[in-house]
C-alpha cells in the first residue's frame, strides 16, 4: 500500500471539463448529491475545492453554501487551503469533497481539518475515483500519460472508511456511480448495464456519506458495597457469650 503523504504536489484540476467525460460525471454526481443532501440538517455547508464548488446542489436542505477554493475561481466564495481551512472549530454543519482527496498531497490533513471544523452530528460527503474500476485500469496503462487521471490517487473505499473511523465518523452510505466509457461510447451498452446490475463495486466513482459522531461523557457510578448481614455489636455480644461458657 502506497503512503498517503506525497513529497511532490500533484496537478490539480480547475474544472470538471478537464477530466475525461467530466461534464457527464459532474451531472451524475450532482443528481446523486441532490438526493443525499436533502437529508442534511443545519445552517452552513462548505464545498471544498474547484470541482466541489461547481456542483449545483439545488435540493440541498442547507441553504447557506460556501465554495472554498485555494486560488481564484469563478465560483469561489472564499479562498483557503483545504489542508489549513480558515474556519472556526465546530462551525460547519456539512462538507462536500468532490475528488479533493484524489488530488491531495496530504489527504490525512484535509480530513483532520474537516474533523476540526465540523459540528457534532455534521455530515460529510466524499466523492472519489474507484481503483477497482475500468477508470482505475486506465490509470495503469501506458497511453495518454498527460491525462489528469494519471495524477489521481485512487484511494479505495475501505481505506477511506478506516481514516474516517479513526476520526470518529460513522459511514452511513456508499454509492457507486457512473460506469466508464473506456471501451464503448454507447450509454445503453449491454456490458455497462450488466455491470451496473451485478457488479456495482466496479463503477468508476464512489460516493461516501458519513456523519460525525460524538460520545457523551457519562459519570462512572461508584461500586456498591455489600452491607454485613449482622451488626458488629451483635457479633461482639455473641462472642462474649461464647467466652463466658468456657470452663
Amino acid at each position: 500500500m502506497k503512503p498517503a503523504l506525497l513529497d511532490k504536489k500533484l496537478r490539480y484540476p480547475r474544472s470538471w471539463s478537464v477530466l475525461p467525460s467530466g461534464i457527464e460525471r459532474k451531472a451524475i454526481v450532482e443528481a446523486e448529491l441532490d438526493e443525499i443532501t436533502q437529508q442534511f440538517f443545519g445552517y452552513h455547508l462548505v464545498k471544498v475545492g474547484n470541482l466541489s464548488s461547481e456542483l449545483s446542489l439545488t435540493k440541498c436542505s442547507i441553504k447557506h453554501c460556501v465554495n472554498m477554493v485555494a486560488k481564484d475561481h469563478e465560483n469561489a466564495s472564499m479562498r483557503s487551503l483545504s489542508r489549513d481551512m480558515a474556519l472556526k472549530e465546530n462551525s460547519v454543519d456539512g462538507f462536500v469533497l468532490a475528488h479533493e482527496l484524489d488530488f491531495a498531497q496530504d489527504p490525512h490533513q484535509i480530513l483532520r481539518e474537516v474533523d476540526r471544523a465540523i459540528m457534532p452530528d455534521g455530515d460529510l460527503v466524499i466523492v472519489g475515483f474507484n481503483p477497482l474500476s475500468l477508470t482505475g485500469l486506465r490509470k495503469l496503462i501506458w497511453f495518454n500519460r498527460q491525462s489528469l487521471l494519471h495524477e489521481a490517487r485512487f484511494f479505495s473505499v475501505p481505506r477511506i472508511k478506516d481514516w474516517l473511523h479513526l476520526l470518529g465518523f460513522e459511514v452511513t452510505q456508499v454509492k457507486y456511480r457512473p460506469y466508464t466509457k473506456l471501451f464503448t461510447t454507447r450509454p445503453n451498452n449491454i456490458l455497462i448495464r450488466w455491470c451496473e446490475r451485478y457488479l456495482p463495486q466496479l463503477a468508476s466513482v464512489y460516493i461516501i456519506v458519513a456523519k460525525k459522531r460524538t460520545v457523551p461523557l457519562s459519570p462512572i457510578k461508584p461500586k456498591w458495597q455489600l452491607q454485613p448481614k449482622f451488626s458488629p455489636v451483635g457479633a461482639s455480644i455473641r462472642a462474649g457469650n461464647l467466652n463466658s461458657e468456657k470452663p
Side-chain angles (χ1 to χ4, degrees):
M1 182 182 297
K2 295 182 179 180
L5 178 62
L6 293 180
D7 296 331
K8 66 174 184 177
K9 188 176 181 180
L10 303 177
R11 286 188 298 160
Y12 187 77
R14 180 170 179 81
S15 67
W16 288 88
S17 60
V18 300
L19 298 176
S21 303
I23 301 302
E24 180 186 7
R25 293 176 187 272
K26 174 179 176 288
I28 297 177
V29 170
E30 281 180 336
E32 293 294 335
L33 294 189
D34 276 342
E35 179 181 350
I36 292 172
T37 55
Q38 286 185 43
Q39 310 301 323
F40 286 5
F41 177 79
Y43 300 97
H44 308 291
L45 177 74
V46 176
K47 295 183 286 184
V48 181
N50 294 344
L51 302 184
S52 301
S53 64
E54 291 186 352
L55 297 175
S56 299
L57 306 181
T58 57
K59 298 182 180 180
C60 180
S61 59
I62 302 177
K63 299 308 178 183
H64 183 220
C65 297
V66 177
N67 299 329
M68 187 177 72
V69 299
K71 298 181 179 180
D72 290 335
H73 194 275
E74 53 271 18
N75 296 319
S77 300
M78 63 175 293
R79 289 185 58 183
S80 175
L81 297 175
S82 57
R83 64 176 183 271
D84 187 16
M85 298 182 184
L87 298 170
K88 293 183 179 180
E89 185 176 353
N90 299 332
S91 60
V92 179
D93 299 287
F95 278 95
V96 174
L97 278 68
H99 299 296
E100 189 68 17
L101 301 183
D102 287 319
F103 297 96
Q105 185 178 0
D106 188 0
H108 288 170
Q109 179 59 27
I110 295 177
L111 291 179
R112 283 192 290 265
E113 282 294 288
V114 170
D115 177 61
R116 179 187 63 81
I118 199 168
M119 295 277 290
D121 294 326
D123 298 288
L124 169 64
V125 177
I126 297 176
V127 181
F129 290 118
N130 184 13
L132 302 179
S133 65
L134 295 178
T135 304
L137 176 64
R138 185 177 181 177
K139 173 182 170 65
L140 301 178
I141 55 182
W142 61 271
F143 67 87
N144 198 15
R145 288 287 180 179
Q146 300 302 319
S147 172
L148 277 174
L149 288 180
H150 290 284
E151 297 285 334
R153 309 292 303 276
F154 282 83
F155 296 113
S156 65
V157 171
R159 193 173 185 184
I160 298 294
K161 282 185 175 181
D162 288 340
W163 295 348
L164 295 176
H165 177 72
L166 292 175
L167 292 174
F169 285 88
E170 177 189 357
V171 176
T172 59
Q173 190 178 12
V174 178
K175 285 190 170 186
Y176 294 91
R177 293 288 188 277
Y179 276 80
T180 181
K181 291 186 177 181
L182 177 60
F183 300 124
T184 179
T185 57
R186 298 175 57 187
N188 293 324
N189 181 272
I190 187 173
L191 175 62
I192 293 179
R193 286 189 280 111
W194 186 87
C195 290
E196 288 178 342
R197 182 173 182 180
Y198 298 105
L199 297 173
Q201 291 80 8
L202 299 184
S204 59
V205 170
Y206 58 79
I207 301 174
I208 299 177
V209 185
K211 185 175 286 290
K212 177 62 178 178
R213 298 300 190 187
T214 56
V215 180
L217 297 177
S218 57
I220 300 176
K221 295 182 179 180
K223 295 182 179 180
W224 295 101
Q225 296 181 356
L226 295 177
Q227 297 293 333
K229 295 182 179 180
F230 52 87
S231 61
V233 177
S236 60
I237 294 175
R238 286 194 296 272
N241 293 336
L242 292 175
N243 292 332
S244 62
E245 292 177 357
K246 291 182 180 179

